[in-house]
């Protein structure tokens, strides 16, 4: 208790000093009023009138500045809210697309890893993320608060990584198809995790509830996709390890499909 009282006593002067520092007009006007009161008590009327007049002018200036500061803060808050409202739908759309890419990359990885000859018939275009149309040139982007701006930048940068990998790795000659889809899957998983930050920062769950309750929230669908991808990769590793430990199969070449 003693420590708490000591901290509170030390905190008050700091708050007062900080408030005076932020509002110098008010502090000076109070000083002038006090000086005018002292001059009036000493019957120095002209000096008292001058000090009171200067104090009143400074007080009026401080009130004007305070109103402007409040108006600027309200305008900033409004612009930030408008920016979030404007960018949220596009963010939702691009995140859902990345979740779809994770699911398709995971399905193709499973088929290639199982060596069962099943083909999904997915095309290269199925693995391309949607490009944002507002980011980064829309004026609303500049009005985003710090944490939200950082979340958006990191997520949208990850989309470029997915697109580049799809362009560079798709049907690369001599490359194993299972490796191609594994690379794409890793990039899409990373992007989807960054998208989860955007979901929280932009409150996308509340803004865009699922059309059907059975779908689950966007977060739950993402977690399910990431969990399925992790299980598919682990199953592949377990199968490869079992093959390595088998004296017969270990000597046979693995018949993975090549592009």
């Amino acid at each position: 208790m003693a420590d708490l009282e000591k901290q509170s006593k030390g905190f008050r002067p700091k708050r007062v000093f900080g408030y005076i520092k932020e509002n110098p007009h008010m502090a000076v006007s109070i000083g002038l009023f006090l000086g005018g009161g002292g001059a009036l008590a000493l019957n120095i009327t002209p000096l008292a009138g001058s000090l009171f007049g200067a104090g009143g002018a400074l007080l009026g200036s401080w009130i004007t500045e305070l109103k402007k500061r409040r108006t600027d803060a309200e305008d900033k808050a409004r612009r930030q809210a408008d920016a979030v409202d404007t960018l949220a739908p596009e963010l939702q759309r691009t995140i859902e697309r990345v979740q779809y890419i994770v699911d398709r990359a995971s399905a193709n990885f499973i088929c290639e890893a199982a060596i069962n000859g099943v083909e999904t018939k997915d095309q290269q275009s199925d693995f391309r993320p949607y490009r944002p149309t507002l980011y980064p040139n829309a004026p609303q982007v500049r009005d985003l608060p710090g944490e939200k701006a950082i979340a958006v930048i990191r997520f949208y940068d990850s989309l470029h990584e997915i697109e580049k990998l799809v362009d560079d790795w798709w049907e690369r000659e001599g490359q194993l198809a299972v490796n191609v889809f594994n690379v794409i899957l890793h990039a899409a998983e990373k992007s989807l995790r960054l998208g989860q930050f955007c979901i929280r920062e932009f409150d996308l769950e509340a803004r865009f509830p699922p059309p059907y309750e059975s779908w689950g929230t966007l977060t739950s669908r993402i977690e399910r996709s990431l969990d399925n991808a992790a299980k598919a990769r682990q199953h592949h590793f377990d199968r490869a390890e079992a093959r390595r430990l088998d004296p017969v199969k270990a000597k046979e070449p693995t018949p993975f499909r090549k592009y």
Side-chain angles (χ1 to χ4, degrees):
M1 180 66 70
D3 292 340
L4 185 60
E5 291 178 357
K6 187 176 180 181
Q7 289 177 4
S8 65
K9 288 179 181 178
F11 181 65
R12 286 181 192 132
K14 290 182 180 179
R15 287 190 61 185
V16 172
F17 179 75
Y19 190 78
I20 292 174
K21 187 176 180 181
E22 292 176 358
N23 302 275
H25 292 78
M26 181 199 70
V28 175
S29 66
I30 290 174
L32 290 171
F33 280 126
L34 292 174
L40 192 62
L42 295 173
N43 203 26
I44 310 176
T45 307
L47 178 60
S50 298
L51 291 174
F52 281 134
L58 279 174
L59 185 62
S61 176
W62 171 68
I63 292 173
T64 301
E65 182 183 347
L66 193 64
K67 288 182 178 178
K68 182 180 182 301
R69 199 183 304 170
R70 184 180 296 114
T71 301
D72 290 345
E74 291 173 352
D75 182 61
K76 181 180 178 181
R78 179 186 58 77
R79 286 188 286 105
Q80 288 180 344
D82 289 345
V84 172
D85 291 340
T86 301
L87 298 173
E90 180 172 85
L91 198 56
Q92 169 85 3
R93 177 176 62 88
T94 51
I95 291 174
E96 287 182 333
R97 175 64 176 182
V98 176
Q99 188 217 344
Y100 171 81
I101 293 172
V102 168
D103 288 341
R104 297 317 306 156
S106 181
N108 280 270
F109 175 78
I110 290 171
C111 292
E112 297 295 342
I115 322 174
N116 54 16
V118 175
E119 294 185 13
T120 61
K121 305 299 183 183
D122 286 319
Q123 304 297 314
Q124 185 179 18
S125 57
D126 295 322
F127 298 92
R128 294 188 184 279
Y130 289 151
R131 288 178 174 270
T133 56
L134 296 175
Y135 176 86
N137 298 320
Q140 289 86 352
V141 175
R142 296 191 293 272
D143 293 328
L144 284 174
E147 292 298 323
K148 290 179 173 57
I150 292 172
V152 166
I153 290 169
R154 294 181 66 194
F155 172 67
Y156 281 145
D157 281 351
S158 71
L159 301 183
H160 295 296
E161 182 180 353
I162 297 174
E163 191 169 39
K164 189 174 186 305
L165 286 172
V166 171
D167 289 338
D168 291 346
W169 281 73
W170 191 264
E171 295 187 352
R172 178 182 287 188
E173 185 177 354
Q175 184 58 258
L176 295 178
V178 67
N179 291 339
V180 172
F181 290 114
N182 190 31
V183 167
I184 295 174
L185 182 57
H186 270 295
E189 285 177 290
K190 173 186 172 183
S191 179
L192 203 51
R193 290 190 177 93
L194 293 173
Q196 289 178 307
F197 289 102
C198 295
I199 293 173
R200 291 193 292 270
E201 288 293 336
F202 285 74
D203 197 21
L204 297 182
E205 299 285 17
R207 291 175 181 273
F208 307 102
Y212 308 104
E213 187 176 350
S214 59
W215 281 24
T217 63
L218 179 58
T219 298
S220 67
R221 299 198 303 271
I222 287 174
E223 290 174 349
R224 187 163 56 246
S225 295
L226 293 174
D227 184 58
N228 289 338
K231 288 179 178 177
R233 192 176 290 112
Q234 187 59 51
H235 186 61
H236 173 60
F237 291 154
D238 292 343
R239 186 167 47 227
E241 181 64 13
R243 181 185 179 86
R244 186 184 68 83
L245 297 176
D246 189 305
V248 178
K249 291 185 178 180
K251 297 179 181 180
E252 299 176 354
T254 306
F256 284 124
R257 178 171 66 95
K258 285 187 178 183
Y259 276 128

